[in-house]
């Protein structure tokens, strides 16, 4: 043990590691490790085994060491050996070190996209000749950008290697309390007071409310002060109830039933009387005309869009079967296979008029038709059109499964070791739709071509596992942490795994118990239109994808991170929407 630890200490030097590789020591260390692993059946010599692994870990800090490790079948040897250790918690030191070596030696790749630039480009005003920023070849950087081992580093010792390693692999920590500390405020707390007019939660502790009467009194006081102030008032679902509140020409009754009621089981007679005139075709045209003319909050309407917009999901057969089976004979789809939006809206609202949240879907449509977007969206996401209400209960932070991050890293390594298990089929591609195979038997169907939607590419890895790539901000090659997409054709009681593989942040609240949000169309049509926290086996960790310096805005070998989560969908053949957080579109704000 002492000899192995001394050798590991010497190999912290890159020059010593080079000598060890050139003299063929790496293969000998692998054979020694295998021998100790097979013979130490009682796990009495864990520190000797870990010492051998530390020697391999230091050698693979240099590019020559990684190449020799791969050529010596080191990935296969360590991956196979660690499978015997996963069930024993006492072997955590070995498992952690093996995981670090495997992740470091996994061959680096660029993302499976033609370019990391955004799929959308918009020439800025006054810059008529503007063109998308050019990039170098995305395949040329692997030798130069990532951890170059030039002559100037040949004799550099890594005395602080332990510190660097700890920083490098912090995201593999299995104890959530030992993860990198949560981020602090980016400004002094006393400076937040200037935002209290817009964000009452900064100064009001809602947990201290002791009774509903106090809450109602506080709400009245705040609403009275807001109504008496000529500044812009941002309405909330609760404030819509206030008797003095009006949304331009809309009365409170036009906004629908009380959003705090659990399932909106209001008497149909009163709801129909109040809404019949609102949802009549003549008033619909009037609303659209008024919305188009309202230049204070809406840009000039594009005539082509008012006739082209459709509602997601758009398949006529799906709508007939789910929304109005008894009216199937009376609905005629258009030749292109889509239903006209007016038909869809009319039938949806007539059939489910008692299950609609506090906003008016027709009013939302009128607003959305006025909005111009760079991608020229022609679809609506169902949650934005239909609306939503808060869940009727509080949900605690998700308790993280022990060792979930390293398990996911080992799953990624399995793709390299056992490539025969990987399907590798593109099922959604925003850049090249013709190269994708949506609707393939047994796979999910994806879409994000709606306002605030973000999904660039979806690749089926295994039967129930998908790699997802997000699109960057417009005119940019970065900022793609946000996701919001639609998924269909799922099976019941099966766990689907999703890996978003081009995240950029070094850490995420997904490592601290945060969950994504999910909206189910079937649940909404049954009177429960809610964004709910969903997902299990959630974690966030660094992957093997890298970005070139040219594409990454000058950052050498920028790392990407994976957000992985698994979901069991509540219904078969449902249409569900998954998002980073509650979506808030521009049309909703209007």
């Amino acid at each position: 043990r002492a000899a192995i630890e001394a050798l590991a200490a010497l190999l912290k030097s890159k020059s010593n590691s080079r000598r060890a590789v050139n003299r063929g020591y790496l293969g000998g260390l692998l054979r020694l490790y295998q021998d100790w692993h097979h013979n130490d059946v009682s796990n009495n010599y864990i520190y000797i085994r870990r010492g051998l692994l530390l020697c391999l870990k230091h050698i693979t800090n240099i590019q020559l060491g990684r190449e020799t490790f791969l050529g010596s079948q080191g990935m296969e040897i360590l991956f196979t050996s660690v499978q015997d250790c996963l069930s024993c918690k006492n072997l955590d030191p070995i498992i952690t070190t093996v995981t670090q070596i495997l992740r470091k030696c996994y061959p680096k790749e660029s993302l499976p996209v033609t370019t990391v630039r955004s799929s959308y480009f918009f020439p800025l005003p006054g810059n008529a000749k503007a063109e998308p920023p050019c990039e170098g070849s995305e395949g040329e950087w692997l030798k130069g950008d990532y951890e170059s081992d030039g002559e100037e580093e040949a004799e550099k010792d890594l005395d602080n290697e332990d510190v660097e390693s700890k920083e490098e692999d912090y995201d593999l920590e299995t104890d959530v309390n030992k993860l990198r500390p949560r981020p602090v405020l980016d400004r002094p707390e006393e400076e937040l007071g200037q935002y209290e007019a817009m964000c009452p939660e900064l100064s009001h502790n809602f947990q201290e409310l002791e009774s509903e009467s106090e809450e109602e009194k506080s709400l009245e006081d705040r609403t009275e002060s807001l109504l008496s102030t000529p500044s812009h008032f941002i309405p909330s679902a609760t404030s819509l109830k206030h008797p003095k509140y009006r949304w331009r020409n809309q009365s409170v009754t036009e906004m629908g039933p009380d959003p705090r009621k659990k399932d909106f089981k209001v008497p149909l007679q009163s709801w129909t009387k109040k809404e019949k005139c609102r949802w009549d075709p003549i008033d619909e045209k009037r609303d659209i005309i008024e919305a188009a003319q309202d230049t204070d909050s809406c840009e000039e309407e594009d005539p082509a869009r008012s006739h082209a917009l459709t509602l997601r999901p758009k398949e006529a057969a799906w709508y007939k079967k789910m929304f109005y089976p008894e009216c199937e004979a009376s609905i005629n789809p258009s030749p292109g296979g889509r239903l006209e939006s007016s038909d869809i809206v009319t039938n949806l609202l007539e059939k489910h008029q008692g299950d609609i949240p506090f906003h008016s879907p027709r009013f939302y449509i009128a607003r959305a038709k006025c909005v111009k977007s760079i991608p020229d969206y022609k679809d609506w996401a169902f949650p934005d059109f239909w609306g939503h209400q808060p869940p009727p209960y509080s949900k605690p932070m998700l308790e993280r499964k022990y060792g979930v991050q390293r398990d996911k890293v080992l799953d990624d390594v399995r793709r390299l070791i056992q490539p025969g298990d990987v399907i590798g089929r593109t099922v959604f591609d925003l850049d090249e739709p013709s190269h994708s195979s949506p609707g393939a038997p047994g796979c999910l169907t994806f879409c994000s071509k709606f306002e605030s939607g973000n999904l660039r590419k979806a690749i089926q890895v295994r039967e129930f596992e998908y790699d997802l790539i997000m699109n960057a901000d417009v005119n940019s090659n970065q900022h793609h942490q946000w996701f919001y997409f639609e998924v269909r054709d799922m099976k019941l009681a099966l766990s689907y795994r999703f890996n978003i593989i081009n995240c950029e942040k070094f850490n995420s609240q997904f490592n601290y118990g945060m969950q994504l949000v999910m909206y189910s169309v079937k649940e909404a049509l049954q009177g429960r239109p809610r964004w709910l926290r969903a997902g299990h086996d959630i974690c966030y960790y660094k992957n093997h994808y890298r970005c070139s310096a040219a594409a990454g805005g000058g950052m050498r070998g920028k790392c990407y991170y994976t957000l992985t989560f698994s979901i069991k969908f509540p219904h078969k053949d449902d249409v569900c929407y998954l998002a980073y957080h509650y979506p808030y579109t521009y049309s909703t704000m209007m």
Side-chain angles (χ1 to χ4, degrees), residues 383-452:
D384 303 324
F385 156 79
W386 198 253
H388 52 90
Q389 63 178 136
Y393 52 84
S394 299
K395 190 171 184 181
M397 301 289 277
L398 182 69
E399 186 174 347
R400 201 168 68 145
K401 180 181 175 183
Y402 178 80
V404 63
Q405 283 164 302
R406 67 189 185 196
D407 291 345
K408 300 303 182 183
V409 172
L410 292 175
D411 280 346
D412 290 347
V413 174
R414 190 187 303 274
R415 301 187 194 184
L416 182 68
I417 306 298
Q418 302 170 356
D421 295 341
V422 178
I423 298 174
R425 174 170 55 195
T426 300
V427 296
F428 176 79
D429 194 334
L430 197 63
D431 301 313
E432 302 178 17
S434 59
H435 291 182
S436 61
S437 53
C443 78
L444 297 174
T445 303
F446 295 85
C447 181
S448 66
K449 297 178 182 178
F450 47 79
E451 191 176 356
S452 287

Side-chain angles (χ1 to χ4, degrees), residues 444 487-492 496 569 571-574 576:
L444 297 174
V487 60
R488 295 184 271 131
D489 301 327
M490 65 283 294
K491 297 177 181 178
L492 185 63
Y496 289 87
F569 293 102
H571 300 283
K572 178 184 177 183
D573 294 329
D574 195 359
C576 290

Side-chain angles (χ1 to χ4, degrees), residues 146-317:
Y146 178 68
E147 294 185 16
S148 172
D149 295 307
E151 291 298 324
E152 69 279 2
E153 296 182 346
E155 299 300 324
K156 180 181 177 182
D157 290 344
L158 294 181
D159 295 331
N160 60 340
E161 193 272 340
D162 288 338
V163 177
E164 290 185 357
S165 176
K166 185 176 181 180
E167 181 77 8
E168 175 83 2
D169 296 301
Y170 74 91
D171 58 327
L172 292 178
E173 178 60 60
T174 55
D175 184 355
V176 70
N177 296 316
K178 294 181 181 179
L179 280 169
R180 178 181 288 182
R182 292 171 173 78
V184 297
L185 293 174
D186 61 354
R187 67 195 70 196
E189 192 168 350
E190 53 269 17
E191 289 187 13
L192 296 178
Q194 59 187 315
Y195 303 106
E196 288 182 359
M198 293 182 290
C199 307
E201 62 271 18
L202 290 173
S203 59
H204 187 80
N205 187 350
F206 293 95
Q207 295 179 349
E208 292 179 354
L209 295 176
E210 297 180 356
S211 65
E212 188 174 348
S213 61
E214 289 184 8
E215 181 180 5
E216 291 294 331
K217 184 177 184 300
S218 175
L219 173 63
E220 284 186 15
D221 293 342
R222 291 202 308 275
T223 309
E224 287 285 350
S225 63
L226 284 169
L227 288 169
S228 62
T229 305
S231 60
H232 295 287
F233 172 45
I234 303 175
S236 66
T238 312
S239 63
L240 291 174
K241 287 187 61 197
H242 197 276
K244 295 186 178 181
Y245 177 62
R246 297 291 184 272
W247 184 331
R248 302 212 174 209
N249 297 326
Q250 276 194 301
S251 67
V252 178
T253 57
E254 290 170 336
M255 300 308 292
D258 185 347
R260 298 190 302 170
K261 292 186 178 179
K262 184 174 180 182
D263 288 318
F264 296 144
K265 299 301 182 183
V266 296
L268 285 180
Q269 291 179 346
S270 61
W271 175 243
T272 306
K273 286 178 182 177
K274 293 175 182 177
E275 290 296 306
K276 184 174 287 186
C277 62
R278 179 69 185 166
W279 288 344
D280 130 305
I282 297 175
D283 280 1
E284 178 193 1
K285 293 179 181 178
R286 184 190 67 199
D287 289 340
I288 295 176
I289 292 172
E290 288 178 355
Q293 294 174 345
D294 187 1
T295 55
D296 290 339
S297 58
C298 175
E299 298 182 35
E300 182 180 353
E301 182 174 3
D302 184 349
R305 288 180 48 78
S306 63
H307 301 289
L309 282 165
T310 55
L311 180 67
R312 290 291 307 176
K314 63 197 177 190
E315 282 70 9

Side-chain angles (χ1 to χ4, degrees), residues 330-368:
S330 64
I331 303 300
N332 298 315
S334 61
R338 297 185 177 190
L339 285 178
E340 291 300 324
S341 59
S342 59
D343 291 338
I344 294 176
V345 170
T346 301
N347 284 278
L348 276 176
L349 299 183
E350 286 181 357
K351 184 176 177 67
H352 300 279
Q353 53 188 318
D355 300 324
I356 301 173
F358 65 87
H359 84 177
S360 166
R362 286 208 185 275
F363 188 68
Y364 179 85
I365 291 174
R367 288 292 181 187

Side-chain angles (χ1 to χ4, degrees), residues 450-489:
F450 47 79
E451 191 176 356
S452 287
N454 190 18
L455 174 63
R456 184 173 192 166
K457 192 171 186 178
I459 302 170
Q460 186 178 20
V461 180
R462 300 184 180 94
E463 185 177 5
F464 303 112
E465 182 179 357
Y466 296 83
D467 280 355
L468 309 178
I469 299 174
M470 299 300 120
N471 192 26
D473 279 357
V474 175
N475 291 10
S476 173
N477 54 20
Q478 53 188 342
H479 306 307
H480 31 64
Q481 200 82 4
W482 168 261
F483 62 88
Y484 178 22
F485 57 88
E486 173 197 296
V487 60
R488 295 184 271 131
D489 301 327

Side-chain angles (χ1 to χ4, degrees), residues 482-549:
W482 168 261
F483 62 88
Y484 178 22
F485 57 88
E486 173 197 296
V487 60
R488 295 184 271 131
D489 301 327
M490 65 283 294
K491 297 177 181 178
L492 185 63
L494 291 175
S495 182
Y496 289 87
R497 178 180 169 185
F498 301 93
N499 311 305
I500 299 177
I501 61 175
N502 65 329
C503 299
E504 294 178 304
K505 292 168 58 178
F506 296 111
N507 204 346
S508 169
Q509 289 297 324
F510 285 109
N511 271 338
Y512 295 94
M514 175 174 161
Q515 294 174 280
L516 66 150
V517 292
M518 180 179 71
Y519 186 103
S520 163
V521 171
K522 283 191 174 181
E523 286 289 306
L525 295 178
Q526 293 174 11
R528 296 179 294 275
R530 296 165 183 147
W531 282 102
L532 297 176
R533 295 288 172 181
H536 58 277
D537 288 351
I538 302 175
C539 67
Y540 187 94
Y541 61 93
K542 187 171 63 179
N543 58 37
H544 65 282
Y545 291 106
R546 296 293 183 271
C547 181
S548 68

